mmCIF file of all heavy atoms in Angstrom:
data_model
loop_
_atom_site.group_PDB
_atom_site.id
_atom_site.type_symbol
_atom_site.label_atom_id
_atom_site.label_comp_id
_atom_site.label_asym_id
_atom_site.label_seq_id
_atom_site.Cartn_x
_atom_site.Cartn_y
_atom_site.Cartn_z
ATOM 1 N N LYS A 1 25.826 36.913 6.287
ATOM 2 C CA LYS A 1 27.060 37.437 5.698
ATOM 3 C C LYS A 1 27.834 38.276 6.710
ATOM 4 O O LYS A 1 27.266 38.829 7.663
ATOM 5 C CB LYS A 1 26.736 38.276 4.467
ATOM 6 C CG LYS A 1 26.032 39.593 4.773
ATOM 7 C CD LYS A 1 25.785 40.393 3.495
ATOM 8 C CE LYS A 1 25.102 41.727 3.798
ATOM 9 N NZ LYS A 1 24.843 42.507 2.575
ATOM 10 N N VAL A 2 29.125 38.352 6.497
ATOM 11 C CA VAL A 2 29.965 39.260 7.282
ATOM 12 C C VAL A 2 29.816 40.646 6.666
ATOM 13 O O VAL A 2 30.071 40.844 5.475
ATOM 14 C CB VAL A 2 31.432 38.810 7.257
ATOM 15 C CG1 VAL A 2 32.297 39.809 8.025
ATOM 16 C CG2 VAL A 2 31.575 37.407 7.847
ATOM 17 N N ALA A 3 29.377 41.608 7.476
ATOM 18 C CA ALA A 3 29.103 42.949 6.951
ATOM 19 C C ALA A 3 29.719 44.007 7.866
ATOM 20 O O ALA A 3 29.794 43.819 9.084
ATOM 21 C CB ALA A 3 27.599 43.174 6.834
ATOM 22 N N PRO A 4 30.187 45.151 7.304
ATOM 23 C CA PRO A 4 30.713 46.235 8.141
ATOM 24 C C PRO A 4 29.581 46.924 8.902
ATOM 25 O O PRO A 4 28.532 47.243 8.326
ATOM 26 C CB PRO A 4 31.357 47.186 7.122
ATOM 27 C CG PRO A 4 30.637 46.903 5.836
ATOM 28 C CD PRO A 4 30.268 45.458 5.856
ATOM 29 N N ARG A 5 29.766 47.111 10.188
ATOM 30 C CA ARG A 5 28.744 47.755 11.031
ATOM 31 C C ARG A 5 29.423 48.780 11.945
ATOM 32 O O ARG A 5 30.583 48.595 12.350
ATOM 33 C CB ARG A 5 28.043 46.732 11.919
ATOM 34 C CG ARG A 5 27.471 45.523 11.199
ATOM 35 C CD ARG A 5 26.097 45.799 10.665
ATOM 36 N NE ARG A 5 25.488 44.572 10.181
ATOM 37 C CZ ARG A 5 24.628 44.515 9.184
ATOM 38 N NH1 ARG A 5 24.279 45.627 8.561
ATOM 39 N NH2 ARG A 5 24.103 43.371 8.802
ATOM 40 N N PRO A 6 28.705 49.829 12.312
ATOM 41 C CA PRO A 6 29.225 50.715 13.358
ATOM 42 C C PRO A 6 29.164 49.978 14.693
ATOM 43 O O PRO A 6 28.132 49.414 15.048
ATOM 44 C CB PRO A 6 28.270 51.920 13.320
ATOM 45 C CG PRO A 6 27.008 51.388 12.701
ATOM 46 C CD PRO A 6 27.415 50.301 11.780
ATOM 47 N N TRP A 7 30.256 49.962 15.413
ATOM 48 C CA TRP A 7 30.357 49.136 16.620
ATOM 49 C C TRP A 7 31.112 49.904 17.705
ATOM 50 O O TRP A 7 32.052 50.643 17.404
ATOM 51 C CB TRP A 7 31.122 47.854 16.272
ATOM 52 C CG TRP A 7 30.814 46.664 17.122
ATOM 53 C CD1 TRP A 7 31.574 46.151 18.136
ATOM 54 C CD2 TRP A 7 29.680 45.811 17.018
ATOM 55 N NE1 TRP A 7 30.982 45.039 18.663
ATOM 56 C CE2 TRP A 7 29.810 44.796 17.992
ATOM 57 C CE3 TRP A 7 28.554 45.802 16.186
ATOM 58 C CZ2 TRP A 7 28.863 43.791 18.181
ATOM 59 C CZ3 TRP A 7 27.619 44.793 16.365
ATOM 60 C CH2 TRP A 7 27.765 43.807 17.344
ATOM 61 N N VAL A 8 30.684 49.748 18.934
ATOM 62 C CA VAL A 8 31.355 50.429 20.041
ATOM 63 C C VAL A 8 32.454 49.526 20.595
ATOM 64 O O VAL A 8 32.184 48.406 21.033
ATOM 65 C CB VAL A 8 30.361 50.789 21.161
ATOM 66 C CG1 VAL A 8 31.106 51.444 22.333
ATOM 67 C CG2 VAL A 8 29.276 51.722 20.631
ATOM 68 N N VAL A 9 33.699 50.024 20.550
ATOM 69 C CA VAL A 9 34.838 49.289 21.097
ATOM 70 C C VAL A 9 35.604 50.242 22.006
ATOM 71 O O VAL A 9 36.049 51.301 21.569
ATOM 72 C CB VAL A 9 35.767 48.764 19.975
ATOM 73 C CG1 VAL A 9 36.947 48.016 20.584
ATOM 74 C CG2 VAL A 9 35.007 47.870 19.020
ATOM 75 N N ASP A 10 35.743 49.844 23.277
ATOM 76 C CA ASP A 10 36.449 50.687 24.266
ATOM 77 C C ASP A 10 35.878 52.096 24.317
ATOM 78 O O ASP A 10 36.619 53.094 24.360
ATOM 79 C CB ASP A 10 37.951 50.732 23.945
ATOM 80 C CG ASP A 10 38.608 49.364 24.057
ATOM 81 O OD1 ASP A 10 38.131 48.551 24.872
ATOM 82 O OD2 ASP A 10 39.567 49.111 23.299
ATOM 83 N N GLY A 11 34.563 52.200 24.234
ATOM 84 C CA GLY A 11 33.901 53.483 24.376
ATOM 85 C C GLY A 11 33.861 54.340 23.133
ATOM 86 O O GLY A 11 33.312 55.438 23.151
ATOM 87 N N ALA A 12 34.440 53.854 22.030
ATOM 88 C CA ALA A 12 34.450 54.627 20.785
ATOM 89 C C ALA A 12 33.751 53.838 19.678
ATOM 90 O O ALA A 12 33.831 52.604 19.625
ATOM 91 C CB ALA A 12 35.881 54.952 20.383
ATOM 92 N N ILE A 13 33.069 54.591 18.790
ATOM 93 C CA ILE A 13 32.379 53.950 17.680
ATOM 94 C C ILE A 13 33.317 53.846 16.487
ATOM 95 O O ILE A 13 33.999 54.809 16.114
ATOM 96 C CB ILE A 13 31.124 54.743 17.279
ATOM 97 C CG1 ILE A 13 30.122 54.764 18.436
ATOM 98 C CG2 ILE A 13 30.470 54.143 16.036
ATOM 99 C CD1 ILE A 13 28.884 55.588 18.157
ATOM 100 N N GLY A 14 33.356 52.662 15.888
ATOM 101 C CA GLY A 14 34.193 52.461 14.713
ATOM 102 C C GLY A 14 33.635 51.341 13.857
ATOM 103 O O GLY A 14 32.742 50.600 14.276
ATOM 104 N N PRO A 15 34.160 51.183 12.642
ATOM 105 C CA PRO A 15 33.680 50.112 11.767
ATOM 106 C C PRO A 15 34.237 48.753 12.198
ATOM 107 O O PRO A 15 35.430 48.621 12.468
ATOM 108 C CB PRO A 15 34.221 50.517 10.391
ATOM 109 C CG PRO A 15 35.447 51.312 10.693
ATOM 110 C CD PRO A 15 35.192 52.021 11.986
ATOM 111 N N ARG A 16 33.368 47.776 12.271
ATOM 112 C CA ARG A 16 33.781 46.415 12.609
ATOM 113 C C ARG A 16 33.078 45.431 11.674
ATOM 114 O O ARG A 16 32.009 45.712 11.127
ATOM 115 C CB ARG A 16 33.416 46.064 14.058
ATOM 116 C CG ARG A 16 33.967 47.020 15.100
ATOM 117 C CD ARG A 16 35.456 46.924 15.262
ATOM 118 N NE ARG A 16 35.865 45.704 15.981
ATOM 119 C CZ ARG A 16 37.119 45.435 16.300
ATOM 120 N NH1 ARG A 16 38.100 46.274 15.952
ATOM 121 N NH2 ARG A 16 37.418 44.316 16.946
ATOM 122 N N SER A 17 33.676 44.263 11.501
ATOM 123 C CA SER A 17 33.058 43.198 10.704
ATOM 124 C C SER A 17 32.163 42.374 11.622
ATOM 125 O O SER A 17 32.625 41.826 12.629
ATOM 126 C CB SER A 17 34.134 42.304 10.086
ATOM 127 O OG SER A 17 34.909 43.040 9.158
ATOM 128 N N VAL A 18 30.889 42.288 11.257
ATOM 129 C CA VAL A 18 29.900 41.649 12.128
ATOM 130 C C VAL A 18 29.127 40.596 11.345
ATOM 131 O O VAL A 18 28.781 40.807 10.172
ATOM 132 C CB VAL A 18 28.921 42.701 12.711
ATOM 133 C CG1 VAL A 18 27.826 42.029 13.539
ATOM 134 C CG2 VAL A 18 29.681 43.715 13.554
ATOM 135 N N ILE A 19 28.869 39.472 11.994
ATOM 136 C CA ILE A 19 28.062 38.412 11.392
ATOM 137 C C ILE A 19 26.855 38.142 12.288
ATOM 138 O O ILE A 19 26.972 38.153 13.517
ATOM 139 C CB ILE A 19 28.892 37.122 11.189
ATOM 140 C CG1 ILE A 19 28.137 36.112 10.338
ATOM 141 C CG2 ILE A 19 29.303 36.509 12.513
ATOM 142 C CD1 ILE A 19 28.989 34.915 9.914
ATOM 143 N N THR A 20 25.695 37.950 11.684
ATOM 144 C CA THR A 20 24.477 37.647 12.434
ATOM 145 C C THR A 20 24.307 36.137 12.512
ATOM 146 O O THR A 20 24.280 35.447 11.487
ATOM 147 C CB THR A 20 23.244 38.274 11.777
ATOM 148 O OG1 THR A 20 23.409 39.699 11.737
ATOM 149 C CG2 THR A 20 21.975 37.938 12.552
ATOM 150 N N THR A 21 24.220 35.631 13.733
ATOM 151 C CA THR A 21 24.034 34.203 13.985
ATOM 152 C C THR A 21 22.664 33.983 14.596
ATOM 153 O O THR A 21 22.230 34.754 15.459
ATOM 154 C CB THR A 21 25.110 33.679 14.952
ATOM 155 O OG1 THR A 21 26.398 34.017 14.436
ATOM 156 C CG2 THR A 21 25.022 32.179 15.121
ATOM 157 N N THR A 22 21.967 32.945 14.136
ATOM 158 C CA THR A 22 20.633 32.671 14.653
ATOM 159 C C THR A 22 20.551 31.237 15.177
ATOM 160 O O THR A 22 21.301 30.354 14.756
ATOM 161 C CB THR A 22 19.551 32.852 13.564
ATOM 162 O OG1 THR A 22 19.813 31.947 12.486
ATOM 163 C CG2 THR A 22 19.540 34.273 13.039
ATOM 164 N N LEU A 23 19.615 31.039 16.082
ATOM 165 C CA LEU A 23 19.327 29.713 16.617
ATOM 166 C C LEU A 23 17.841 29.438 16.465
ATOM 167 O O LEU A 23 17.005 30.253 16.866
ATOM 168 C CB LEU A 23 19.715 29.641 18.101
ATOM 169 C CG LEU A 23 19.180 28.436 18.886
ATOM 170 C CD1 LEU A 23 19.848 27.136 18.412
ATOM 171 C CD2 LEU A 23 19.384 28.618 20.395
ATOM 172 N N SER A 24 17.513 28.316 15.858
ATOM 173 C CA SER A 24 16.152 27.783 15.870
ATOM 174 C C SER A 24 16.209 26.536 16.731
ATOM 175 O O SER A 24 16.971 25.607 16.424
ATOM 176 C CB SER A 24 15.677 27.427 14.462
ATOM 177 O OG SER A 24 15.786 28.537 13.589
ATOM 178 N N ALA A 25 15.440 26.488 17.811
ATOM 179 C CA ALA A 25 15.552 25.374 18.752
ATOM 180 C C ALA A 25 14.172 24.853 19.152
ATOM 181 O O ALA A 25 13.151 25.520 18.956
ATOM 182 C CB ALA A 25 16.339 25.803 19.982
ATOM 183 N N ASP A 26 14.178 23.657 19.714
ATOM 184 C CA ASP A 26 12.961 22.938 20.094
ATOM 185 C C ASP A 26 12.593 23.294 21.536
ATOM 186 O O ASP A 26 13.334 22.978 22.469
ATOM 187 C CB ASP A 26 13.222 21.437 19.951
ATOM 188 C CG ASP A 26 11.977 20.594 20.139
ATOM 189 O OD1 ASP A 26 11.025 21.064 20.786
ATOM 190 O OD2 ASP A 26 11.961 19.443 19.642
ATOM 191 N N HIS A 27 11.406 23.931 21.721
ATOM 192 C CA HIS A 27 11.000 24.383 23.047
ATOM 193 C C HIS A 27 10.641 23.229 23.974
ATOM 194 O O HIS A 27 10.502 23.429 25.189
ATOM 195 C CB HIS A 27 9.805 25.340 22.928
ATOM 196 C CG HIS A 27 9.988 26.610 23.691
ATOM 197 N ND1 HIS A 27 10.555 26.648 24.948
ATOM 198 C CD2 HIS A 27 9.686 27.894 23.390
ATOM 199 C CE1 HIS A 27 10.579 27.893 25.382
ATOM 200 N NE2 HIS A 27 10.067 28.683 24.456
ATOM 201 N N ARG A 28 10.499 22.033 23.454
ATOM 202 C CA ARG A 28 10.251 20.873 24.319
ATOM 203 C C ARG A 28 11.521 20.470 25.065
ATOM 204 O O ARG A 28 11.457 19.734 26.057
ATOM 205 C CB ARG A 28 9.751 19.680 23.487
ATOM 206 C CG ARG A 28 8.422 19.906 22.784
ATOM 207 C CD ARG A 28 8.114 18.777 21.813
ATOM 208 N NE ARG A 28 9.125 18.670 20.751
ATOM 209 C CZ ARG A 28 9.046 17.790 19.751
ATOM 210 N NH1 ARG A 28 8.019 16.951 19.681
ATOM 211 N NH2 ARG A 28 9.996 17.739 18.825
ATOM 212 N N VAL A 29 12.657 20.942 24.558
ATOM 213 C CA VAL A 29 13.949 20.505 25.107
ATOM 214 C C VAL A 29 14.684 21.645 25.804
ATOM 215 O O VAL A 29 15.336 21.444 26.828
ATOM 216 C CB VAL A 29 14.826 19.921 23.978
ATOM 217 C CG1 VAL A 29 16.188 19.504 24.504
ATOM 218 C CG2 VAL A 29 14.126 18.736 23.324
ATOM 219 N N SER A 30 14.622 22.847 25.242
ATOM 220 C CA SER A 30 15.359 23.975 25.808
ATOM 221 C C SER A 30 14.483 25.226 25.801
ATOM 222 O O SER A 30 13.361 25.211 25.296
ATOM 223 C CB SER A 30 16.645 24.228 25.005
ATOM 224 O OG SER A 30 16.324 24.600 23.670
ATOM 225 N N ASP A 31 15.024 26.305 26.344
ATOM 226 C CA ASP A 31 14.285 27.572 26.358
ATOM 227 C C ASP A 31 15.213 28.715 25.957
ATOM 228 O O ASP A 31 16.399 28.505 25.687
ATOM 229 C CB ASP A 31 13.664 27.838 27.742
ATOM 230 C CG ASP A 31 14.684 27.786 28.870
ATOM 231 O OD1 ASP A 31 15.858 28.140 28.637
ATOM 232 O OD2 ASP A 31 14.316 27.388 29.982
ATOM 233 N N GLY A 32 14.659 29.929 25.928
ATOM 234 C CA GLY A 32 15.415 31.086 25.469
ATOM 235 C C GLY A 32 16.638 31.389 26.301
ATOM 236 O O GLY A 32 17.656 31.862 25.769
ATOM 237 N N HIS A 33 16.581 31.123 27.617
ATOM 238 C CA HIS A 33 17.743 31.394 28.474
ATOM 239 C C HIS A 33 18.923 30.524 28.053
ATOM 240 O O HIS A 33 20.040 31.028 27.852
ATOM 241 C CB HIS A 33 17.378 31.120 29.930
ATOM 242 C CG HIS A 33 18.544 31.235 30.873
ATOM 243 N ND1 HIS A 33 19.114 32.446 31.213
ATOM 244 C CD2 HIS A 33 19.263 30.277 31.535
ATOM 245 C CE1 HIS A 33 20.126 32.250 32.032
ATOM 246 N NE2 HIS A 33 20.234 30.937 32.254
ATOM 247 N N ALA A 34 18.665 29.218 27.906
ATOM 248 C CA ALA A 34 19.737 28.310 27.481
ATOM 249 C C ALA A 34 20.203 28.645 26.067
ATOM 250 O O ALA A 34 21.403 28.610 25.766
ATOM 251 C CB ALA A 34 19.246 26.857 27.545
ATOM 252 N N GLY A 35 19.248 29.014 25.197
ATOM 253 C CA GLY A 35 19.606 29.371 23.825
ATOM 254 C C GLY A 35 20.502 30.588 23.753
ATOM 255 O O GLY A 35 21.442 30.649 22.949
ATOM 256 N N ALA A 36 20.227 31.578 24.622
ATOM 257 C CA ALA A 36 21.048 32.788 24.645
ATOM 258 C C ALA A 36 22.477 32.469 25.076
ATOM 259 O O ALA A 36 23.448 32.988 24.512
ATOM 260 C CB ALA A 36 20.421 33.821 25.585
ATOM 261 N N LEU A 37 22.613 31.614 26.080
ATOM 262 C CA LEU A 37 23.950 31.231 26.535
ATOM 263 C C LEU A 37 24.699 30.468 25.444
ATOM 264 O O LEU A 37 25.912 30.637 25.265
ATOM 265 C CB LEU A 37 23.841 30.361 27.797
ATOM 266 C CG LEU A 37 23.295 31.057 29.048
ATOM 267 C CD1 LEU A 37 23.116 30.047 30.184
ATOM 268 C CD2 LEU A 37 24.219 32.194 29.491
ATOM 269 N N PHE A 38 23.967 29.625 24.709
ATOM 270 C CA PHE A 38 24.565 28.846 23.624
ATOM 271 C C PHE A 38 25.099 29.762 22.525
ATOM 272 O O PHE A 38 26.248 29.627 22.077
ATOM 273 C CB PHE A 38 23.507 27.890 23.079
ATOM 274 C CG PHE A 38 23.981 26.979 21.980
ATOM 275 C CD1 PHE A 38 25.168 26.277 22.087
ATOM 276 C CD2 PHE A 38 23.230 26.821 20.828
ATOM 277 C CE1 PHE A 38 25.593 25.418 21.083
ATOM 278 C CE2 PHE A 38 23.644 25.977 19.815
ATOM 279 C CZ PHE A 38 24.828 25.277 19.943
ATOM 280 N N LEU A 39 24.284 30.729 22.092
ATOM 281 C CA LEU A 39 24.726 31.662 21.053
ATOM 282 C C LEU A 39 25.889 32.528 21.547
ATOM 283 O O LEU A 39 26.822 32.820 20.783
ATOM 284 C CB LEU A 39 23.564 32.551 20.612
ATOM 285 C CG LEU A 39 22.538 31.929 19.661
ATOM 286 C CD1 LEU A 39 21.453 32.944 19.316
ATOM 287 C CD2 LEU A 39 23.198 31.423 18.391
ATOM 288 N N ALA A 40 25.829 32.946 22.811
ATOM 289 C CA ALA A 40 26.926 33.756 23.366
ATOM 290 C C ALA A 40 28.229 32.977 23.369
ATOM 291 O O ALA A 40 29.308 33.535 23.124
ATOM 292 C CB ALA A 40 26.567 34.206 24.781
#
């Protein structure tokens, strides 16, 4: 869900809308480094 979170923007903390995204992937094909770049 999109939820309000305290977030640092330009050095100041303020409320922002944040969504948590997850990746479940096959380790026979990729690894955590590639997965991190994909989510980013």
Side-chain angles (χ1 to χ4, degrees):
K1 69 178 181 181
V2 177
R5 308 275 189 211
W7 206 257
V8 177
V9 179
D10 297 330
I13 297 177
R16 304 290 286 183
S17 295
V18 176
I19 190 171
T20 300
T21 306
T22 60
L23 166 69
S24 305
D26 188 337
H27 230 319
R28 297 171 299 183
V29 178
S30 63
D31 54 32
H33 174 72
L37 294 175
F38 182 47
L39 282 180

